[in-house]
Amino acid sequence: MSSEKARLATMWFYGCSGCHMSFLDLDERLVDLAKVATLVHSPIVDIKHFPPDVALTLIEGAVANVEQVETLREVRKRTKLLVSLGDCAVTGNVTALRNAWEHGDRAVLERAYADPSNLNAQIPNLVPKLLDYARPLHEIVKIDHYIPGCPPNADQIYYVVGELLAGRQPVMEGRSKYG
Amino acid sequence: MLHVTLQQGGASINPNNVRLRINGSEVAVPEGTTILKAAALNGVEIPTLCEIEGLTPYGGCRLCIVEVSGTSKLFPACTTPAAQGMEVTTQSPKLYEYRKMVLQTLLAERTHICAVCVANEHCELQANANNHGVDHVMYERNWSCESIDSSHEFLVIDRNRCILCTRCIRVCDQIEGAHTLDLKFRSKSTNVIMDQDQNWGQAMSCTSCRKCAKVCPVGAIYIENENIEFTKDRDIAAFLSKRRRRSR
Ligand code: SF4
Ligand code: SF4
Ligand code: SF4
Ligand code: FES
C-alpha cells in the first residue's frame, strides 16, 4: 500500500524554519496528507541523503552558499516537481537583505563571527563559502511552482500540495501573498 | 441645471460627447475624458498605480494599459483620451501578461522585502501583485541600495521601496502648493528629492502636511511610529480639490 503513495520531500536552505512551521500547521490535515503521500526526506526526519525518484519537493529558504547550489541541482535531478516554499525561496526575502550591500557576504560573516564583542572573534573556515548574493531558487534551477508568503499559511500549502499531488495545476491568482 | 441633467441622463445626445465601446458596451462621455474615467463611469475597473484621483495623470507605471482595436499598440488608460468610435478592451490574456510584467519589473527594480516593510499588507504594489497571481519575479532583481532619509521630525523616505510614481511630488505641488519634492536624474538613477536635494529635515519649503505619506502607494514614505494603515488616504487629493472648487 505505502509503495503507491507519492514520495514527498521538504528541505531548507537559508530560511528561518517558519515555512516548515506553517507546513506543520496543517495540523490534522497532515493525517490526510499521510494517506496519499509518504515523507521521504525532510529536516524533521532523520535521513541524511536526498533520495531518488521523489514526486514533489518543497524547499524553504534562499540559496546563499556554494554547497547549497550543488545540493539544489542534485535535488532537481531527483524530484519530478519542485516548489519554492515561502518568500526566501521565492524572492530571497530577509536572507537577501545583505544583497543590497557591497560585499554583503563578508559583512554578514563579520557581523556573525567577528563582532568585536565576541571572545576569540574569528570567521571559521569550515563553513561553505557564501555566494556574493543570496538567490531565489529559480535563479539556479527550474522551479515548477511558487508559494510566496513569509510564511505562507497552511491553507495555501495544503491547497498547492493537494492540487499537485492530484495532478492538477494550482491557480495562484488572489491566493498568493508576499510578506 | 438643465445641462447637468443632459450630461448625466442623456449623455449620448450632448454634442460634446464622444461615443466609444468599452469591452463591447457602447458608452458616451464628455470629450477629453480619459479611457480610465470613461471606464470607471461605466462600472469597469482598470488596475492603476501611479494614477490617483484629484491629481493630474502621469502615465508612468503602465499598469492601466488597454487594447484599442485597429492597432497593436497598448495605451495607458489614465492618460489617453476617449475618442469617437474607439473600441477599447480592458481585460484580455495579453493585457494580463503585460500587467504581470509591469508588476514584476517594479518588484525587480528596487529592494522590496515585504516581510520587513512598514507597508506590508497595506501596499498597492503588493496587492496588485497578489491579485494578478505574481507568485515570483522572473527577472533578476536589482538589489538597490538607495538612501533612506529620516532627518525630518516624523516623515521618513526609504527610496528602496519607491516605484517613482510621482504621486508625492504631484500632491505636494498641486494640492499643498509647496513643491518640496521633485525627481532628480533619469533612468536607474532617478530618485525623489527634497528642495535642492537636501535632507528632508533641512528642506525649508516643506510644511510637514503629511500629504505625501498619505498618497504614497507603497512603503516608501511613511510617518515614524504611526501605523501606516492610518496614514494612508487615497482620497485626500480628490477630497481637497473638490472642497476648494466648492469654496471658490
Ligand atoms: S513597498 Fe510594498 S511591495 Fe515593496 S516591500 Fe513594501 S509591502 Fe512589499
Ligand atoms: S509633508 Fe507636505 S509639504 Fe512636506 S514634502 Fe510632504 S507633501 Fe510636501
Ligand atoms: S515616494 Fe511613494 S509616492 Fe513618491 S514617487 Fe516614490 S512610491 Fe511614489
Ligand atoms: S495608472 Fe496609468 S500609467 Fe500608471
Side-chain angles (χ1 to χ4, degrees):
Chain A
M1 184 68 200
S2 82
S3 62
E4 291 164 25
K5 290 185 186 175
R7 287 162 65 79
L8 176 71
T10 76
M11 286 201 77
W12 65 27
F13 290 136
Y14 275 90
C16 70
S17 86
C19 299
H20 272 80
M21 295 302 147
S22 261
F23 179 72
L24 294 178
D25 269 346
L26 290 176
D27 296 335
E28 69 276 11
R29 285 173 293 186
L30 284 169
V31 180
D32 297 334
L33 190 58
K35 288 181 191 147
V36 294
T38 174
L39 197 59
V40 293
H41 185 86
S42 173
I44 57 169
V45 301
D46 193 18
I47 296 164
K48 296 278 176 283
H49 298 288
F50 196 87
D53 302 321
V54 179
L56 175 61
T57 302
L58 310 174
I59 302 186
E60 164 188 337
V63 174
N65 71 33
V66 287
E67 187 184 291
Q68 290 169 341
V69 173
E70 289 316 308
T71 311
L72 180 59
R73 291 203 174 116
E74 206 46 48
V75 170
R76 178 68 272 190
K77 284 185 207 147
R78 295 176 186 203
T79 188
K80 202 161 147 250
L81 291 174
L82 197 53
V83 176
S84 286
L85 176 66
D87 276 356
C88 291
V90 173
T91 72
N93 200 30
V94 177
T95 314
L97 272 171
R98 70 169 165 93
N99 292 4
W101 276 269
E102 214 178 322
H103 309 303
D105 50 342
R106 189 77 203 166
V108 284
L109 287 175
E110 272 163 14
R111 182 69 186 80
Y113 295 107
D115 192 279
S117 64
N118 291 349
L119 281 178
N120 300 324
Q122 58 173 310
I123 296 173
N125 50 19
L126 301 164
V127 288
K129 192 178 166 336
L130 289 183
L131 301 177
D132 51 356
Y133 276 19
R135 299 273 178 199
L137 306 185
H138 65 267
E139 285 185 12
I140 314 282
V141 296
K142 178 180 172 285
I143 294 296
D144 301 298
H145 288 282
Y146 302 85
I147 315 180
C150 184
N153 67 38
D155 294 344
Q156 287 167 311
I157 300 173
Y158 191 64
Y159 167 74
V160 173
V161 170
E163 293 295 286
L164 291 177
L165 287 180
R168 290 187 295 261
Q169 193 76 1
V171 182
M172 295 314 278
E173 274 84 346
R175 257 197 203 93
S176 64
K177 171 199 152 285
Y178 284 107
Chain B
M1 201 57 215
L2 181 67
H3 183 67
V4 173
T5 320
L6 270 177
Q7 283 227 334
Q8 287 176 344
S12 56
I13 53 167
N14 186 316
N16 293 330
N17 274 353
V18 292
R19 285 159 156 273
L20 68 156
R21 282 181 180 278
I22 298 180
N23 298 339
S25 314
E26 185 160 303
V27 304
V29 291
E31 212 181 336
T33 310
T34 62
I35 296 177
L36 182 71
K37 266 241 172 75
L41 285 170
N42 291 281
V44 175
E45 213 181 300
I46 298 170
T48 57
L49 262 179
C50 63
E51 152 56 47
I52 189 163
E53 187 80 30
L55 302 178
T56 53
Y58 174 58
C61 75
R62 287 330 203 224
L63 190 64
C64 66
I65 41 169
V66 293
E67 292 181 60
V68 174
S69 69
T71 163
S72 59
K73 222 179 120 189
L74 302 174
F75 293 84
C78 68
T79 52
T80 312
Q84 183 69 28
M86 221 178 210
E87 286 182 31
V88 178
T89 306
T90 69
Q91 293 286 356
S92 71
K94 177 178 165 182
L95 288 174
Y96 199 72
E97 279 317 303
Y98 275 98
R99 286 180 188 146
K100 279 178 92 160
M101 270 190 237
V102 165
L103 293 164
Q104 290 179 67
T105 49
L106 288 174
L107 286 166
E109 190 175 27
R110 296 205 172 173
T111 305
H112 291 273
I113 299 183
C114 303
V116 293
C117 176
V118 281
N120 193 11
E121 299 193 353
H122 302 284
C123 169
E124 291 179 43
L125 173 60
Q126 185 189 37
N128 271 297
N130 290 344
N131 293 339
H132 283 79
V134 176
D135 56 10
H136 71 292
V137 177
M138 65 172 157
Y139 312 110
E140 191 171 332
R141 295 179 65 175
N142 168 38
W143 297 98
S144 67
C145 194
E146 305 296 342
S147 59
I148 301 172
D149 182 350
S150 60
S151 60
H152 187 276
E153 207 186 323
F154 51 83
L155 288 159
V156 185
I157 182 167
D158 182 344
R159 296 180 173 91
N160 294 294
R161 300 175 188 142
C162 174
I163 58 169
L164 300 169
C165 70
T166 74
R167 277 190 190 180
C168 55
I169 297 170
R170 284 175 285 154
V171 82
C172 184
D173 176 36
Q174 297 167 17
I175 304 291
E176 181 58 11
H179 203 135
T180 302
L181 307 175
D182 215 320
L183 289 181
K184 73 167 177 185
F185 299 147
R186 321 192 76 181
S187 168
K188 246 180 94 173
S189 322
T190 315
N191 261 317
V192 171
I193 54 164
M194 289 79 190
D195 281 358
Q196 308 297 315
D197 200 4
Q198 273 134 333
N199 287 337
W200 209 337
Q202 270 87 58
M204 296 300 287
S205 68
C206 177
T207 61
S208 302
C209 73
R210 307 169 180 231
K211 289 185 189 74
C212 46
K214 288 178 188 294
V215 298
C216 180
V218 292
I221 298 185
Y222 58 93
I223 296 172
E224 226 175 298
N225 297 326
E226 184 174 284
N227 192 331
I228 206 153
E229 207 183 329
F230 304 123
T231 307
K232 296 224 181 274
D233 184 357
R234 253 200 90 129
D235 303 324
I236 184 77
F239 173 78
L240 287 176
S241 45
K242 205 184 283 165
R243 277 294 171 107
R244 285 178 192 169
R245 268 202 302 274
R246 212 173 63 180
S247 62
R248 245 182 245 145

